[in-house]
Amino acid sequence: MDVGELLNYQPDRGAKRLRAGDDDDDDHRSKKTGRELTRHLEGEDSEDPTGDRKRILEKLMDDDDDADDQEGEPVDESSVKKMILTFEKRSYKNQELRIKFPDNPEKFMETELDLNDIIQEMHVIATMPDLYHLLVELNAVHSLLGLLSHENTDILSINDFNSHTLDNLFHTTLEGQVVALLVQNMERLDEQVKEEADGVYNTLAIIENMAEFRPGMCTEAAQQGLMQWLLKRIKAKIPFDANKLYCSEILAILLQNNDSTRELLGELDGIDVLLQQLSVFKRHNPATAEEQEMMENLFDALCSCLMLAANRDRFLRGEGLQLMNLMLREKKMSRTSALKVLDHGMIGLEGSDNCHKFVDILGLRTIFPLFMKTPKKMRKAGTADKEHEEHVCSIIASCLRNLKAQQRTRLLSKFTENDCEKVDRLMELHFKYLEAVQQADKRIEGEKHEMVKRGEILDDVMEDEFYLRRLDAGLFVLQLLCYIMVEISNSGISQLQQRVHQILNLRGGSVKVVRHIMREYAENIGDGKSEEFKASEQKRIMDLLENF
């Protein structure tokens, strides 16, 4: 391994926080470490012809005297800089010797002791928040995070400096634009140079660790230039590499459950960026597993963005519907995720414009073949039938909810084609999911009966858990199917209503069961919406049931 590779060596990415509760005081850790290192050096097979072990033991015994001498020294910016630089040198030296002599601890044990010493000295920085910026400016944060995966558990155990100082660092310096500093640093780097490309990757690792350490920092990080930099890097016309994959992952993390970052992405024309990058996969599958992972990250980011109403309009104006429709027709690997995006873009009242546009671009010709049969390629790609059928039924239900006038007529006419074959398929799916949910209900009722016999109380937490299990068994798909049944039966086309009731009677089904499922659906509708919206939707559904 050459010097360049050694300089760029990092432990496995994804350094984690120490577990909560590992909060013994520093003196105890220092003594514990000293004892463990001493025991290691004085082990049973301790032949030491060169005298290295004896010299290391003497150094260990002198540590306390050195520490006493250093206590009186003033700590200022200059001394902290010196401390950090010493730490970096010792960390690098330790890594170098560990790589060179992986099976000979004698060769790198002294560097381990030196690293231990400087980490102990650096504990003082934890009490000086005004100097935290030096950790960022001298790129010490990533090195500290890297120590959390150090092979020597003694080094790991004394490294509670990380869990304390980094916690304070992230808390104190987010307002001081720490992410902005990291972004500025990445902007200066030339990724055509391997070492600088590695620097970008390592900086992204810092940001990922920060997001995991403090999920609430995503909003501030996005606003400090990270969102803009990620979008710029993702759309850069350079070959696919690990950094582009990492950028897509960080972007998806920033957008999870965060309307502020979703809004910011929309304002930065991020919807167009995502659509442009995804358009590559319209007619071509990803070349590698890594490129496929990036594609899925971008799709996830787009789905997150479409949870915000304002972004649905941007998606419409950016011809996102046309792109997703083409992906469905091209039958490439992107088809599964394109279906999910369409579902997110058309659901609810906010999806009304997208529903009308979808009909205008002949999307019904694309969606109904997928409704009639789950493609085998989707199964091979690892997509379960339930996931596919849920998205397709949700899209059709959204169209029935939102379409007006001519577009609604075109949708309803699809159900009358070929002797109502789509109604037959609808009822086939209804009985399939009804059976699955009824089986889940029987198991749940059995568990409830056993709990009552044991004298256990069924609280809200248990009831929520049981409801989630029913959803997992297919309850939500069943609710969508019942909604479609009720909508087409109220369409004024007698042929459709007659066919629904005819099949219900032939298969031993019940209108009463359908009504029960729809009432349960109405009770849980409108989560996160206004009470006015919830009440109006519930009334609309109950009115449909009266005429079913």
Side-chain angles (χ1 to χ4, degrees), residues 386 389-390 393-394 396-398 400 426 429-435 437 441 467-468 470-487 513-527 540-541 544-545:
K386 183 167 77 71
E389 288 159 5
E390 178 181 322
C393 291
S394 181
I396 294 173
S398 294
L400 285 167
L426 174 68
L429 290 171
H430 167 72
F431 285 106
K432 170 187 172 181
Y433 282 97
L434 179 62
E435 182 182 359
V437 173
D441 286 343
Y467 186 68
L468 289 174
R470 296 180 70 217
L471 289 173
D472 189 54
L475 176 61
F476 182 59
V477 187
L478 179 61
Q479 291 172 342
L480 290 172
L481 291 163
C482 288
Y483 177 79
I484 295 171
M485 289 164 56
V486 172
E487 275 277 14
V513 170
V514 175
R515 284 177 174 164
H516 173 73
I517 293 168
M518 288 309 299
R519 288 191 185 99
E520 186 177 25
Y521 173 69
E523 288 175 4
N524 292 282
I525 205 166
D527 290 342
R540 190 179 68 83
I541 291 172
L544 289 172
L545 286 178

Side-chain angles (χ1 to χ4, degrees), residues 53 308 499 506:
R53 179 176 279 106
L308 193 69
R499 191 60 162 253
L506 284 173

Side-chain angles (χ1 to χ4, degrees), residues 460-506:
D460 291 341
V461 175
M462 286 300 301
E463 290 293 347
D464 289 344
E465 182 181 334
F466 287 141
Y467 186 68
L468 289 174
R469 284 171 56 182
R470 296 180 70 217
L471 289 173
D472 189 54
L475 176 61
F476 182 59
V477 187
L478 179 61
Q479 291 172 342
L480 290 172
L481 291 163
C482 288
Y483 177 79
I484 295 171
M485 289 164 56
V486 172
E487 275 277 14
I488 64 174
S489 296
N490 279 267
S491 64
I493 303 175
S494 59
Q495 182 184 3
L496 297 180
Q497 186 176 34
Q498 289 170 6
R499 191 60 162 253
V500 168
H501 285 276
Q502 180 187 11
I503 298 176
L504 275 177
N505 292 331
L506 284 173

Side-chain angles (χ1 to χ4, degrees), residues 70-344:
Q70 292 167 356
E71 283 180 1
E73 296 181 6
V75 178
D76 54 17
E77 185 168 323
S78 176
S79 61
V80 169
K81 283 183 178 179
K82 181 179 177 182
M83 214 178 288
I84 293 172
L85 291 173
T86 301
F87 161 72
E88 292 286 358
K89 288 179 182 177
R90 293 184 182 182
S91 179
Y92 161 70
K93 185 66 175 176
N94 178 241
Q95 289 176 359
E96 179 187 22
L97 292 180
R98 270 189 166 274
I99 295 168
K100 192 174 181 179
F101 306 106
D103 300 320
N104 192 352
E106 300 291 333
K107 298 292 186 180
F108 56 73
M109 184 56 67
E110 186 168 3
T111 65
E112 221 106 296
L113 291 167
D114 290 338
L115 185 57
N116 170 28
D117 292 343
I118 192 61
I119 292 174
Q120 291 298 324
E121 289 181 40
M122 290 175 69
H123 276 72
V124 70
I125 304 177
T127 64
M128 308 181 72
D130 56 316
L131 297 180
Y132 285 175
H133 67 94
L134 296 174
L135 291 169
V136 177
E137 292 170 4
L138 296 177
N139 291 321
V141 179
H142 189 271
S143 299
L144 290 169
L145 291 172
L147 282 185
L148 293 177
S149 59
H150 196 280
E151 294 87 345
N152 186 341
T153 56
D154 295 331
I155 292 292
L156 179 61
S157 68
I158 63 172
N159 200 20
D160 61 333
F161 169 77
N162 281 278
S163 61
H164 179 63
T165 305
L166 292 182
D167 183 42
N168 289 334
L169 172 69
F170 299 153
H171 178 72
T172 305
T173 60
L174 276 174
E175 294 182 358
Q177 304 290 301
V178 64
V179 177
L181 289 174
L182 294 174
V183 171
Q184 289 171 14
N185 183 57
M186 288 192 292
E187 287 176 342
R188 292 197 303 267
L189 297 175
D190 179 5
E191 292 188 60
Q192 300 301 314
V193 180
K194 181 183 182 302
E195 290 75 10
E196 297 192 21
D198 290 344
V200 171
Y201 188 92
N202 291 336
T203 304
L204 292 171
I206 294 172
I207 292 170
E208 183 185 22
N209 278 291
M210 289 171 69
E212 182 178 351
F213 200 79
R214 282 188 177 278
M217 58 76 68
C218 289
T219 300
E220 291 87 347
Q223 293 171 347
Q224 290 180 23
L226 179 60
M227 178 72 76
Q228 193 166 6
W229 185 88
L230 288 172
L231 293 173
K232 178 181 176 182
R233 178 59 179 81
I234 285 172
K235 71 178 182 180
K237 293 182 179 180
I238 56 178
F240 172 80
D241 60 5
N243 284 354
K244 187 169 185 177
L245 170 60
Y246 213 166
C247 285
S248 69
E249 183 179 340
I250 299 296
L251 184 63
I253 290 172
L254 290 182
L255 296 167
Q256 284 177 351
N257 304 315
N258 193 321
D259 279 347
S260 296
T261 55
R262 293 165 180 167
E263 184 176 3
L264 178 60
L265 181 137
E267 293 170 351
L268 294 172
D269 295 326
I271 300 294
D272 282 343
V273 173
L274 292 174
L275 292 174
Q276 288 166 10
Q277 294 303 305
L278 288 170
S279 66
V280 176
F281 306 107
K282 177 176 57 181
R283 292 188 173 91
H284 303 284
N285 284 330
T288 63
E290 290 76 17
E291 194 172 4
Q292 181 183 352
E293 183 182 350
M294 183 201 69
M295 179 186 77
E296 297 300 339
N297 288 337
L298 296 179
F299 271 120
D300 288 344
L302 185 55
C303 286
S304 291
C305 290
L306 293 177
M307 300 295 287
L308 193 69
N311 283 335
R312 298 195 190 184
D313 183 55
R314 296 181 176 108
F315 177 74
L316 175 62
R317 287 186 277 111
E319 299 188 348
L321 287 164
Q322 289 90 326
L323 177 60
M324 298 304 123
N325 192 39
L326 284 171
M327 285 180 169
L328 293 181
R329 291 183 178 181
E330 289 294 336
K331 303 178 182 180
K332 298 298 181 182
M333 200 176 289
S334 58
R335 178 162 60 166
T336 301
S337 295
L339 192 64
K340 183 169 64 173
V341 170
L342 283 175
D343 186 5
H344 280 76

